[in-house]
Amino acid sequence: MAGKRAAKQKDDGREPAADDAAVVVLPPDCRLAAQAALKAELLGVLEKGAIVVLDGSQVERADTAALQLLVLFRRELQACGGTLDWRGASETLNEAAGLLGLAQILELPAAGLA
Amino acid sequence: MAKILAVDDSVSMRGMVAFTLRGAGHEVAEAENGQLALDIARGSSFDLVLADVNMPVMDGIAMVRELRAMDAYKGVPILMLTTESHTEKKMEGKAAGATGWLVKPFDPEQLLATVKRVLG
Amino acid sequence: MSAVDLTQFHKTFFEESREGLDAMEAALLALDSGSTDHELVHTIFRAAHSIKGGAATFGFSDVAAFTHVAESLLEEVRSERRAVEAELIDLMLRSVDCLRAMLARSSSGQPVADADSEALRGELMRLASGEAAVATVVAPKAAPANGWDIRFVALPHLLQTGNDPLRLFRELQQLGRLEVRRAFVVDRAPARLADLDPSQCHLGWELRLHGAVARGDVDAVFDWLDGDCELAVEAMAEETPAAAAEPAPAGVPAATPAPAADPRPARETAVASSEGGSIRVGIDKVDALINMMGELVITQSMLSDIGENFQLSQLERLREGLLQLERTTRELQESVMRIRMLPIGSVFNRFPRLVRDLERKLGKQVKLELHGEHTELDKTVLEKIGDPLVHLVRNAIDHGLEMPAQRKAAGKAETGTLKLNAYHEGGNIVVQISDDGAGLNHAAIVAKAQQRGLIAAGQELSDAEVAELIFQPGFSTAAQATDLSGRGVGMDVVRRNVRDLGGSVGVRSESGKGSVFTIALPLTLAIIDGLVTAVGHERYIVPLTSIVESLRLRPEAVRRIAGGGEVFHFRDEYLPIMRLHRAFGCADAITDIERGIVVVIEDDNRRVGLLVDELLGQQQAVIKSLEAHYRRVQGVSGATILSDGSVALIVDVGGVVRLGRRSKAA
């Protein structure tokens, strides 16, 4: 929901990356039960040549399923010529991605950085 | 800390489990059989479910199967508290979707260690 | 060692184990009488299983070891690898008894296993076809390597078991430094995100765990994932292993159950019942209390409204409010009392077993009928009524019911009927034990009473008087008692036990048709309606139910009899007068009979007149045990606190009547 709102903000021009980018905000509880909704949202922003900005700064809980979803999203986004950018990533998200060896694949920024 | 559902028909075992977990700062709900546990689980959310295997009304295995069919409990850890050292029971529990097990008898420290392990 | 004190759960464990054993016994008996309901087997198994688990958890290793063997036998039955045979049921029933005894010894801190329990455990093990207690042997841990290469590929359903690789990796991190050499998406992953089921896992990893970690510790991390992943663990390839710095941990032998208790003879020390006692209360009773509390609060606020600025015009409302308060208070009181009430079924349930054992022992055929199991009794009464009932049931089967041949000859069914019935009657709970046996043998009873000197030779007695004789102390003796109903305990003890509970017991009998023993018990022990009387500066409460009449006597109505006793004429009989001031040693009391008041009380059809100064009014009294706070006092059944805060003693009617009659007889 926060993500939808953020996605509509893409014209407000506040952030350079957001000029023509769709923004998806990852929910605080990003575990398995939340992923049907997240997947639907990601599918919505998946289009040719798009720049998708993920905001992971609010993530308080994450699991392997979440990271898998992001990995597969990035893979498909890249396959159709789009790019993934991060607006932020919480420590939790970073720690989980690091532990699973997926931080590089996801090109996650360190916590706090955008 | 975490919200935990403790399911056991034995009042003393359930008491021990709940007391130990509450002592460690967890929030614990109790149920005396699988059916009741399902009713409770439906109306709330839990980070972990601990369940005895042999219970009247609905046993632990059937309960796990039902819980796993609920979207909100697909990935929630469920530990079986079992005295069975036979592998069949463990396998039956696993097949139903249990995360793992804690073999009775266990003492409070073993319980806390396992809970800590599964909650990560 | 443990931060959590497990002893606080012991009492609950003993309680539920006793309940479990009762359920087990009932189910065994049902199987014994031919039921094929498989649920019974489950019930039996579950009970044994729970006891074993609890016993092991709470450190009663002897009980756990015993139950373990019984449970493995039951497991064979449950999985239909073993048939339900008479031998098995017998063995299991004996195991139930044995476990009861073991639990009783556990709860009183005595040595638990004894020769009997060990012998029975041996029998169970033999029957279990040598499949004795399987000690779980901890596999010796392999020598630690310098590190491990782990290839771990999730199967799709991995996440749906609640296992998360994230958690596994954290655990591995605790063992040593974890290096993720490669993380990959496996081929079977759907190419399109749209086709992904997020709860399916399609990831794989190549990990390296650095450090001298035991293989067993690595395996333990993955022990729940058997069948949920592909796993390969290999000792790290390069890096020559350093000289084993630590000795390999020796294989730890499985913990064996504590050695059997030392062979000291079981001490016969009476175990002080230190149990404060707990009670399980149905949720409906608690709800009723909460409702009542709600009403009380409403009434209270209404009354304080009126009280705030009271005007005379509100008098009617005030009266209404007070009435409501009284009603609610009474209801609340009743609901609170109901909490102490438990169904008598828990006592009745002992009897199928007892009857079965007696049948076998005596060669009689008995059909047991239970009625009114749901009738509720005060918990204290319930705990104490068991023994008298057992005695009466044994008696009925031993002495009442005839042998099958005898019954046949008398034109009756070969199988005798024994009925236990419980019901409400007035302010009492009535429990009846009736049989269709031979009835009391009047001639034999009279002969024995004469022989014992209880009655004079040639004395004519009514049926009721003859029946009364069996309750006389000294009537039944060890010589007459069989090992079943005897034990040197006679009906006089039954009567005394029932009287201690404030109840009474009587018998009706018809020759050739059977006997009915009737026990009447007060609904509750804890509250009585009483009449408050003054004796000097003291207050005594006489239970209302025992009062026949109160009267002022004219001096000429009183007669002195030999020995200093006084009697007065009351409804065709002379009753002894008991001066309470004298019996209890009260100062400044009225000693002129005509100035005081005589309260006629009755117990078991026997009456005495109590002389008191005056009657102060009726009041409900909550009985407090004197024994618990002071000591037992003859003629007093307890104490209570009056509305003015002073303490009053409650007259023990049975005791006082006995005292009074004795002084008359003297």
Side-chain angles (χ1 to χ4, degrees):
Chain A
M1 281 165 285
K4 289 246 169 68
R5 216 180 323 120
K8 281 179 196 137
Q9 286 171 359
K10 64 181 170 185
D11 298 326
D12 69 10
R14 229 178 25 185
E15 291 231 354
D19 267 348
D20 53 349
V23 178
V24 174
V25 179
L26 304 180
D29 187 345
C30 204
R31 290 176 299 174
L32 190 51
Q35 280 157 37
L38 182 58
K39 181 186 139 184
E41 209 171 323
L42 290 173
L43 281 174
V45 296
L46 193 63
E47 52 186 279
K48 249 187 172 39
I51 300 172
V52 175
V53 176
L54 290 183
D55 183 347
S57 59
Q58 296 177 25
V59 174
E60 288 160 17
R61 316 192 72 161
D63 58 9
T64 303
L67 288 153
Q68 172 182 258
L69 183 66
L70 296 176
V71 165
L72 293 178
F73 169 70
R74 180 186 170 277
R75 189 173 73 166
E76 190 165 347
L77 186 65
Q78 275 192 329
C80 58
T83 35
L84 177 63
D85 218 347
W86 287 91
R87 182 182 279 180
S90 69
E91 208 165 311
T92 306
L93 187 61
N94 262 292
E95 193 259 349
L99 197 52
L100 290 172
L102 299 170
Q104 271 108 46
I105 301 181
L106 288 170
E107 296 168 345
L108 264 179
L113 300 179
Chain B
M1 288 179 54
K3 267 187 82 180
I4 301 175
L5 178 58
V7 194
D8 200 318
D9 58 326
S10 157
V11 184
S12 57
M13 284 300 299
R14 205 171 69 226
M16 187 274 248
V17 167
F19 184 86
T20 303
L21 294 174
R22 285 185 188 123
H26 297 294
E27 190 184 330
V28 184
E30 300 178 42
E32 65 176 14
N33 64 54
Q35 187 60 57
L36 196 61
L38 286 180
D39 291 343
I40 293 170
R42 247 177 230 118
S44 189
S45 67
F46 292 93
D47 302 307
L48 171 64
V49 180
L50 298 170
D52 185 26
V53 176
N54 283 291
M55 292 183 289
V57 187
M58 181 188 279
D59 69 18
I61 309 268
M63 184 206 76
V64 174
R65 211 169 282 128
E66 297 276 329
L67 271 180
R68 287 292 184 227
M70 291 156 66
D71 278 341
Y73 288 90
K74 274 218 158 53
V76 173
I78 307 174
L79 294 183
M80 310 300 298
L81 308 178
T82 164
T83 39
E84 257 91 1
S85 39
H86 312 337
T87 42
E88 352 163 355
K89 271 291 159 199
K90 290 180 181 171
M91 287 306 137
E92 215 182 307
K94 274 193 62 64
T99 305
W101 50 83
L102 185 54
V103 177
K104 294 182 195 173
F106 50 82
D107 61 33
E109 273 135 32
Q110 287 168 305
L111 172 66
L112 289 177
T114 308
V115 164
K116 198 171 166 208
R117 173 182 173 193
V118 79
L119 290 176
Chain C
M1 168 177 167
S2 161
V4 176
D5 176 16
L6 287 184
T7 57
Q8 61 182 313
F9 302 108
H10 288 182
K11 214 172 73 192
T12 319
F13 166 68
F14 290 130
E15 252 168 50
E16 74 191 352
S17 297
R18 276 193 292 266
E19 283 170 22
L21 288 172
D22 289 349
M24 203 169 155
E25 183 173 63
L28 283 166
L29 290 171
L31 285 179
D32 189 46
S33 54
S35 170
T36 54
D37 186 353
H38 203 64
E39 189 49 41
L40 290 170
V41 176
H42 284 290
T43 302
I44 296 167
F45 177 83
R46 240 184 350 245
H49 187 77
S50 292
I51 293 169
K52 182 183 104 174
T57 300
F58 299 120
F60 303 108
S61 46
D62 289 354
V63 175
F66 185 96
T67 327
H68 176 81
V69 187
E71 186 205 14
S72 14
L73 258 181
L74 290 167
E75 170 59 33
E76 290 178 25
V77 177
R78 188 169 74 142
S79 56
E80 295 178 345
R81 280 178 286 142
R82 176 183 292 277
V84 180
E85 286 158 347
E87 186 198 358
L88 179 80
I89 292 179
D90 268 334
L91 205 51
M92 283 299 157
L93 283 171
R94 283 166 55 206
S95 300
V96 167
D97 291 341
C98 182
L99 277 168
R100 279 198 186 112
M102 290 176 91
L103 286 167
R105 289 195 292 268
S106 301
S107 63
S108 59
Q110 296 176 50
V112 172
D114 62 7
D116 288 348
S117 70
E118 284 305 296
L120 189 54
R121 194 163 74 100
E123 276 187 67
L124 289 167
M125 279 163 76
R126 272 192 295 285
L127 189 62
S129 57
E131 196 227 1
V134 190
T136 39
V137 178
V138 177
K141 292 180 180 177
N146 225 22
W148 299 96
D149 281 326
I150 303 164
R151 189 185 149 85
F152 166 65
V153 181
L155 290 180
H157 68 269
L158 176 85
L159 299 175
Q160 292 165 18
T161 67
N163 280 298
D164 191 326
L166 204 49
R167 175 181 69 69
L168 301 173
F169 292 8
R170 280 201 189 102
E171 257 184 89
L172 289 172
Q173 262 187 328
Q174 314 252 308
L175 298 174
R177 186 168 66 82
L178 182 70
E179 177 194 350
V180 182
R181 294 164 74 91
R182 194 165 86 91
F184 53 92
V185 176
V186 293
D187 293 345
R188 63 164 185 268
R192 290 160 38 84
L193 187 65
D195 300 328
L196 174 74
D197 171 353
S199 68
Q200 302 247 319
C201 192
H202 308 290
L203 300 174
W205 292 267
E206 281 168 15
L207 309 168
R208 175 165 286 181
L209 185 62
H210 299 268
V213 180
R215 169 67 192 255
D217 290 343
V218 177
D219 289 344
V221 171
F222 293 97
D223 64 350
W224 291 340
L225 281 85
D226 189 13
D228 303 328
C229 64
E230 291 164 19
L231 183 68
V233 180
E234 280 166 23
M236 215 161 81
E238 64 263 62
E239 294 181 29
T240 48
E246 310 161 56
V252 184
T256 45
D262 61 354
R264 263 178 295 159
R267 286 155 298 156
E268 282 290 303
T269 45
V271 182
S273 61
S274 54
E275 292 183 43
S278 66
I279 199 163
R280 285 208 210 173
V281 181
I283 196 81
D284 56 322
K285 292 182 178 176
V286 177
D287 286 345
L289 275 181
I290 292 168
N291 284 341
M292 230 76 80
M293 259 333 283
E295 280 180 41
L296 204 56
V297 169
I298 293 168
T299 311
Q300 188 265 334
S301 69
M302 167 187 159
L303 285 172
S304 62
D305 263 9
I306 298 175
E308 213 119 281
N309 41 42
F310 183 73
Q311 289 158 357
L312 214 54
S313 61
Q314 288 173 303
L315 196 59
E316 190 51 34
R317 274 195 68 208
L318 177 65
R319 203 194 305 272
E320 255 171 51
L322 287 173
L323 265 176
Q324 196 175 319
L325 180 66
E326 191 191 323
R327 196 170 52 237
T328 315
T329 309
R330 183 168 277 270
E331 280 172 17
L332 189 61
Q333 186 185 39
E334 276 166 18
S335 305
V336 171
M337 298 320 299
R338 274 190 63 217
I339 285 189
R340 292 188 51 89
M341 305 296 277
L342 296 170
I344 198 170
S346 60
V347 174
F348 277 7
N349 287 341
R350 299 189 199 171
F351 292 114
R353 173 71 188 281
L354 178 70
V355 169
R356 173 187 183 272
D357 289 351
L358 289 179
E359 274 184 295
R360 301 218 167 164
K361 205 156 190 168
L362 298 171
K364 294 184 178 178
Q365 293 171 14
V366 185
K367 190 170 113 211
L368 177 68
E369 289 181 15
L370 300 176
H371 301 280
E373 294 104 308
H374 297 299
T375 309
E376 292 190 327
L377 273 178
D378 186 273
K379 182 174 195 281
T380 311
V381 180
L382 204 62
E383 281 164 0
K384 298 198 169 140
I385 199 62
D387 289 344
L389 282 181
V390 165
H391 194 85
L392 290 174
V393 166
R394 282 172 184 254
N395 238 336
I397 297 176
D398 198 8
H399 300 310
L401 294 174
E402 315 90 327
M403 297 297 286
Q406 247 174 301
R407 291 181 62 90
K408 202 173 175 187
K412 300 198 217 178
E414 289 185 16
T415 299
T417 303
L418 180 67
K419 259 188 240 178
L420 289 182
N421 191 10
Y423 55 92
H424 284 259
E425 195 178 74
N428 287 315
I429 302 287
V430 177
V431 186
Q432 276 188 335
I433 300 95
S434 45
D435 66 69
D436 64 350
L440 296 177
N441 184 336
H442 282 211
I445 291 171
V446 169
K448 178 167 286 160
Q450 286 175 353
Q451 184 197 329
R452 303 249 177 274
L454 296 173
I455 51 171
Q459 197 174 336
E460 286 290 319
L461 294 172
S462 68
D463 280 1
E465 283 167 326
V466 170
E468 264 304 297
L469 283 174
I470 65 171
F471 293 109
Q472 296 307 307
F475 177 79
S476 75
T477 67
Q480 164 252 358
T482 68
D483 83 313
L484 287 173
S485 37
R487 293 185 175 172
V489 174
M491 296 298 290
D492 57 323
V493 176
V494 170
R495 176 168 274 183
R496 188 156 13 117
N497 289 343
V498 172
R499 276 194 182 147
D500 285 349
L501 295 171
S504 63
V505 58
V507 61
R508 268 186 303 114
S509 169
E510 199 174 335
S511 181
K513 293 203 172 155
S515 313
V516 182
F517 285 84
T518 303
I519 296 176
L521 296 163
L523 213 47
T524 171
L525 287 181
I527 285 206
I528 55 159
D529 274 310
L531 186 67
V532 184
T533 67
V535 183
H537 305 296
E538 312 294 332
R539 302 285 176 269
Y540 288 92
I541 293 188
V542 183
L544 220 49
T545 48
S546 62
I547 296 178
V548 182
E549 203 177 314
S550 304
L551 58 162
R552 248 176 234 284
L553 293 178
R554 288 194 307 276
E556 59 270 26
V558 180
R559 288 193 189 182
R560 291 184 184 283
I561 56 170
E566 296 161 298
V567 297
F568 68 103
H569 195 246
F570 179 79
R571 297 185 193 168
D572 300 335
E573 61 175 328
Y574 280 96
L575 302 183
I577 293 179
M578 173 122 174
R579 291 167 173 264
L580 273 193
H581 65 90
R582 200 174 284 165
F584 294 138
C586 308
D588 299 333
I590 291 171
T591 53
D592 289 347
I593 286 179
E594 63 270 28
R595 283 183 51 222
I597 287 186
V598 170
V599 181
V600 179
I601 57 172
E602 180 183 76
D603 178 65
D604 250 350
N605 288 319
R606 293 182 304 177
R607 295 168 175 173
V608 299
L610 298 181
L611 176 66
V612 301
D613 294 2
E614 57 178 321
L615 306 180
L616 298 176
Q618 188 184 333
Q619 188 177 331
Q620 279 203 326
V622 178
I623 302 177
K624 313 245 182 229
S625 160
L626 261 192
E627 275 171 86
H629 299 287
Y630 176 52
R631 63 180 172 82
R632 195 180 172 89
V633 178
Q634 196 170 25
V636 170
S637 62
T640 193
I641 295 171
L642 296 176
S643 42
D644 65 359
S646 64
V647 172
L649 297 177
I650 297 160
V651 172
D652 165 20
V653 174
V656 163
V657 168
R658 282 196 291 281
L659 270 176
R661 306 297 296 198
R662 210 171 298 151
S663 65
K664 180 194 175 189

